[in-house]
Amino acid sequence: MDDRLHKTYFPDDNIKNESHVRSMEQYKEMYERSISDPEGFWKDIAQQFYFKSQPQGKFLDFNFDVNNGPIYIKWMQGAVTNICFNSLDRHVQQGNGEKVAFYWEGNYPGDAGQISYAELLRKVCKFANVLKANGVKKGDRVAIYMPMIVELSVALLACARIGAMHSIVFAGFSAESLAERMQDGEVSILVTADGSWRGTKLVNLKEISDKAMEICAGKGQQITTCLVAKHLSATEETPVRNGTVVNDGGDCIDEATSEPGVRPCQHLKVNWTEGRDIWWHTAMASASEDCECEWMDVEDPLFMLYTSGSTGKPKGVLHTTGGYMLYAATTFKYVFDYQQHDIYWCTADVGWITGHTYVCYGPLLNGSTSVIFEGTPFYPDAGRLWQVVEKYKVSKFYTAPTAIRSLMKYGDSYVTKYDRSSLKVLGTVGEPINPEAWVWYHDVIGEGRCSIVDTFWQTETGGHTVTSLPGCTPMKPGSASFPFFGIKPTILDENCKPVEVGQEGYLVFSQPWPGIMRTVYGDHQRYETTYFKKFPGYYCTGDGAKLDEDGYIWVTGRIDDMVNVSGHLLSTAEIESALIEHQSVAEAAVVSHPHEIKGECTYCFITLCEGLEFTDALVSELKAAVRSKIGPFAQPDVMQNAPGLPKTRSGKIMRRVLRKIARGDKDVGDISTMADESVVELLFSLRPDC
Ligand code: WT7
């Protein structure tokens, strides 16, 4: 047994001595107050922010119990503020306008730029005016489908400034997924870019956007304006890219290249619909730099972000202004132990909640300097992340276990050739981290001197909920450890009884924290059913967890029909429905399956229509169907021919049996309720090599 996987690691003195929380006693004291006096705790924190008017009446008002009427959560009622003002204007007014807000690092090493707080504010005001000129008003939804460029943050902050809700769709989603989200969100304006390079792959965002707008139009929904940032095609009239001057290094060639190190730069031709499509730079050229904030009630919606739902239809998770602001800022400050001189880098895409909270709002609310990275960890080679760490002297770094696992495979030399002495805190998020990857992160990346923060949270929670803190928490590899301030976790069994130490149960939270989602856009009932119905009085995360004898929380993964592929939650029902749409497929059942790099992957059992053959060509078609319906990142890993599926007599597919078959585990458990037991043997005999 490798001792390093099971021992407890203590924060280094250098980190402890400068941190906001330096001992477990201090943590416990603050935590106790946050639970027993949440109003007082968060009221003190709210002092740091600007409010146009102060809260009146109850600072916290809520109902967490479905049996007591509708679920609602209201923090700081009556207060009026603007999160964009608090993220930008406040720092500029305090004399920090020249501080760098973002370093932008492009896909190709050498494509880089930077933007100060003052400059960012100027651009945000201009773009806010562009949105207004195109009819966007407070409460409207704006869809954003963009790569990791400064304009993405500009678009998001501009929406917040004028009180429009942003609905960002990750740029890896397909046209159909983008269309579905635009329809559900009832948007009429889309902000996108011409395209983006990810490693050696070109993503033609405008083409995908065109297709999505066409799908919407076919369903009677007109997207009346499409603003397009010109990112790939830096031309003479636009010698700047991403709003920042580019250090143009390397050869520029005009077509896709797969040669590492050669800058792939393509003058992408885009189709144009006059009257609808508008170039970002054209609109910005004439926009005014003055834009007064829309003063928002703290409970006014700030944004919605879609997340997979177990029924297959994505849910528009809705966050409001004031509570989200407090929570994003506070978790960022304590969990990364933010200090003035830090250079912070979160590798997540802004299209996911991690990017919303920890690339944009959290860092900006704290006035920090951070890196935005458009590329991938593997381009031009597996040392890219550490090269960027060296270049900017990154001190706080945040990434996903799947990235760590895949980089581990390339060996240590890609890491050690770069100087990582600036690093202090290393964060992980998205899925449970296996102790092997944790130890590699700690020992090799962090040279044994950095604190690791394993942060458990969700799109729904707005910010970190269970996490270690860099200066105080003794770290156990694989455990997210203790609740953040304001989070009161319990682990329950099916009957709503707390489980014993060491037993697995449902991870639930029994008190509202400021960053909790307030509703599902357009479907409050779904919000109540999904998160509050199973355990009245609690918010149910949908994750399993255990407590150990020292009180550490160990999150074990989803308990519902969701799969966590490389830190992205996917619904098995959504993949099944994409497969069933194929004319050759009679039935499909998708289950989660362990995967060395991705953590989990999807394993699909396919029942073909009578008389059809299960061929490689068909498998490729089915994979392509999922790519086009959901997006490339959702492509299934394993497809198995399943002439029959294990079902109960009432016709319900027995997924726990399918999970066993997928793993090749003959111990399938009780199958007495199965309609036709012979199916199990048949499926074992048809397992592909994987
Ligand atoms: C699900 C939420 C907000 C983070 C990005 C994903 C899993 C997340 C951890 C962790 C164990 C984790 C859970 C959760 N998860 N972080 N540190 N340890 N599991 O956001 O798409 O809303 O997914 O990710 O299963 O429910 P999301």
Side-chain angles (χ1 to χ4, degrees):
M1 198 166 81
D2 187 346
D3 278 354
R4 295 179 312 160
L5 305 182
H6 305 285
K7 70 177 220 195
T8 299
Y9 294 75
F10 292 88
D12 195 275
D13 279 345
N14 289 327
I15 294 171
K16 199 187 189 97
N17 292 341
E18 74 165 14
S19 73
H20 299 298
V21 185
R22 298 176 187 194
S23 67
M24 284 307 277
E25 290 67 43
Q26 192 189 345
Y27 160 74
K28 281 181 191 142
E29 203 176 293
M30 291 175 74
Y31 176 72
E32 292 305 331
R33 175 162 186 241
S34 77
I35 295 302
S36 60
D37 176 23
E39 303 189 19
F41 183 89
W42 292 105
K43 222 179 241 175
D44 284 354
I45 285 175
Q47 304 295 319
Q48 304 153 28
F49 299 97
Y50 176 77
F51 291 89
K52 188 97 183 157
S53 47
Q54 293 299 318
Q56 294 140 14
K58 275 191 181 172
F59 194 83
L60 168 61
D61 186 17
F62 71 101
N63 173 38
F64 239 40
D65 186 347
V66 276
N67 299 326
N68 279 345
I71 301 292
Y72 67 89
I73 298 127
K74 294 176 181 171
W75 283 91
M76 300 186 278
Q77 274 187 89
V80 172
T81 189
N82 183 288
I83 194 170
C84 175
F85 184 92
N86 279 291
S87 300
L88 301 177
D89 310 53
R90 192 166 52 100
H91 306 306
V92 174
Q93 290 179 7
Q94 286 168 1
N96 294 317
E98 294 318 304
K99 186 168 180 183
V100 173
F102 292 121
Y103 288 111
W104 173 77
E105 179 73 20
N107 180 58
Y108 180 79
D111 271 1
Q114 64 184 61
I115 188 162
S116 67
Y117 273 87
E119 182 61 12
L120 186 58
L121 173 59
R122 209 173 63 84
K123 282 193 192 303
V124 166
C125 286
K126 289 182 87 155
F127 195 65
N129 284 325
V130 169
L131 291 174
K132 284 208 238 174
N134 284 284
V136 180
K137 300 179 305 296
K138 177 179 175 183
D140 289 351
R141 280 85 38 215
V142 174
I144 301 178
Y145 185 69
M146 294 180 98
M148 287 287 282
I149 55 179
V150 170
E151 282 84 347
L152 172 50
S153 308
V154 171
L156 160 148
L157 290 159
C159 288
R161 190 167 194 87
I162 62 172
M165 295 166 68
H166 49 80
S167 171
I168 306 186
V169 180
F170 168 59
F173 274 111
S174 68
E176 289 204 36
S177 293
L178 173 58
E180 182 181 13
R181 286 158 177 74
M182 290 200 289
Q183 280 159 56
D184 188 78
E186 305 163 295
V187 310
S188 56
I189 180 161
L190 169 67
V191 187
T192 187
D194 47 359
S196 165
W197 284 95
R198 300 266 302 147
T200 55
K201 201 170 156 287
L202 174 68
V203 192
N204 196 329
L205 295 168
K206 177 62 166 62
E207 194 176 279
I208 301 170
S209 298
D210 287 344
K211 215 164 134 199
M213 289 187 281
E214 209 175 286
I215 297 172
C216 288
K219 300 198 169 151
Q221 185 199 13
Q222 290 305 327
I223 306 298
T224 49
T225 306
C226 178
L227 287 152
V228 188
K230 198 173 204 170
H231 173 52
L232 289 183
S233 22
T235 62
E236 268 179 39
E237 73 273 15
T238 51
V240 290
R241 284 157 60 129
N242 316 306
T244 50
V245 182
V246 168
N247 308 319
D248 196 341
D251 302 322
C252 188
I253 56 167
D254 268 342
E255 59 189 42
T257 174
S258 55
E259 210 180 312
V262 176
R263 178 186 179 197
C265 161
Q266 181 169 315
H267 292 266
L268 197 64
K269 281 211 183 69
V270 293
N271 288 325
W272 211 247
T273 301
E274 285 305 331
R276 181 195 69 187
D277 298 348
I278 304 169
W279 281 116
W280 173 294
H281 58 273
T282 313
M284 288 288 270
S286 55
S288 150
E289 289 177 15
D290 296 318
C291 179
E292 171 71 5
C293 292
E294 183 76 38
W295 295 104
M296 308 287 285
D297 184 280
V298 278
E299 283 301 338
D300 278 339
L302 172 63
F303 67 83
M304 57 210 253
L305 177 60
Y306 285 86
T307 189
S308 302
S310 54
T311 60
K313 187 178 185 288
K315 302 176 285 247
V317 168
L318 187 142
H319 285 285
T320 55
T321 304
Y324 176 82
M325 176 169 86
L326 293 193
Y327 206 66
T330 310
T331 48
F332 178 81
K333 172 178 167 185
Y334 287 101
V335 176
F336 299 111
D337 204 54
Y338 170 67
Q339 308 288 341
Q340 282 268 315
H341 49 265
D342 273 338
I343 305 291
Y344 162 84
W345 181 20
C346 165
T347 66
D349 196 287
V350 174
W352 306 110
I353 190 70
T354 307
H356 282 59
T357 309
Y358 301 113
V359 175
C360 292
Y361 290 118
L364 294 174
L365 285 164
N366 281 276
S368 91
T369 295
S370 33
V371 178
I372 295 187
F373 178 48
E374 189 189 4
T376 86
F378 312 101
Y379 179 83
D381 65 35
R384 183 68 159 124
L385 297 183
W386 322 120
Q387 180 249 322
V388 174
V389 164
E390 177 183 273
K391 176 175 176 185
Y392 296 102
K393 298 194 170 44
V394 172
S395 50
K396 311 285 164 78
F397 178 75
Y398 195 27
T399 196
T402 182
I404 300 164
R405 281 195 299 268
S406 49
L407 291 171
M408 255 174 101
K409 293 224 163 304
Y410 289 86
D412 299 358
S413 64
Y414 282 103
V415 182
T416 51
K417 84 177 193 220
Y418 297 105
D419 179 7
R420 289 143 8 262
S421 57
S422 55
L423 289 172
K424 288 182 175 166
V425 176
L426 303 172
T428 88
V429 60
E431 54 177 314
I433 182 165
N434 49 313
E436 293 78 8
W438 194 102
V439 167
W440 189 75
Y441 203 23
H442 181 267
D443 287 0
V444 179
I445 305 301
E447 300 173 287
R449 90 191 118 68
C450 299
S451 287
I452 306 271
V453 285
D454 177 351
T455 62
F456 169 85
W457 61 295
Q458 308 176 297
T459 304
E460 293 86 340
T461 67
H464 305 139
T465 52
V466 179
T467 177
S468 31
L469 296 181
C472 66
T473 316
M475 299 161 267
K476 295 191 186 187
S479 167
S481 71
F482 301 112
F484 188 73
F485 306 132
I487 302 290
K488 197 172 172 201
T490 311
I491 303 176
L492 298 176
D493 67 14
E494 286 288 344
N495 304 315
C496 210
K497 295 257 152 19
V499 298
E500 306 277 311
V501 166
Q503 296 293 307
E504 189 169 340
Y506 292 83
L507 177 62
V508 301
F509 302 140
S510 60
Q511 243 173 249
W513 59 100
I516 186 177
M517 71 184 287
R518 303 297 199 261
T519 189
V520 169
Y521 182 76
D523 198 349
H524 195 69
Q525 200 183 338
R526 191 166 176 207
Y527 172 63
E528 299 185 338
T529 329
T530 312
Y531 304 104
F532 296 94
K533 200 148 181 203
K534 193 170 172 73
F535 302 109
Y538 299 94
Y539 164 84
C540 179
T541 61
D543 281 283
K546 294 180 199 178
L547 267 190
D548 72 12
E549 59 285 357
D550 301 320
Y552 280 68
I553 296 172
W554 297 73
V555 177
T556 52
R558 303 293 305 185
I559 320 198
D560 48 16
D561 287 332
M562 304 276 236
V563 201
N564 191 327
V565 180
S566 302
H568 303 316
L569 272 194
L570 293 171
S571 132
T572 51
E574 198 178 358
I575 299 170
E576 285 164 4
S577 75
L579 291 167
I580 291 164
E581 277 183 23
H582 192 281
Q583 55 187 21
S584 309
V585 176
E587 205 168 8
V590 177
V591 294
S592 148
H593 188 60
H595 188 282
E596 210 187 334
I597 303 285
K598 301 178 182 179
E600 290 178 16
C601 68
T602 49
Y603 190 115
C604 312
F605 292 87
I606 310 284
T607 309
L608 295 177
C609 299
E610 221 28 58
L612 294 179
E613 219 184 308
F614 196 80
T615 60
D616 288 349
L618 180 67
V619 166
S620 310
E621 272 182 41
L622 293 177
K623 288 187 175 177
V626 178
R627 288 172 67 93
S628 94
K629 185 84 199 203
I630 305 172
F633 67 93
Q635 171 169 303
D637 287 81
V638 192
M639 296 272 182
Q640 160 162 4
N641 184 15
L645 290 169
K647 290 184 184 169
T648 60
R649 279 180 205 93
S650 61
K652 203 167 182 291
I653 296 171
M654 298 173 79
R655 285 161 207 283
R656 70 177 167 82
V657 175
L658 288 174
R659 276 193 284 271
K660 294 274 185 167
I661 296 171
R663 288 170 170 79
D665 180 353
K666 295 267 173 171
D667 180 16
V668 294
D670 180 13
I671 52 169
S672 56
T673 58
M674 200 180 290
D676 174 9
E677 294 180 15
S678 71
V679 143
V680 175
E681 229 9 81
L682 176 65
L683 291 180
F684 270 115
S685 74
L686 290 170
R687 283 182 77 241
D689 294 328
C690 63

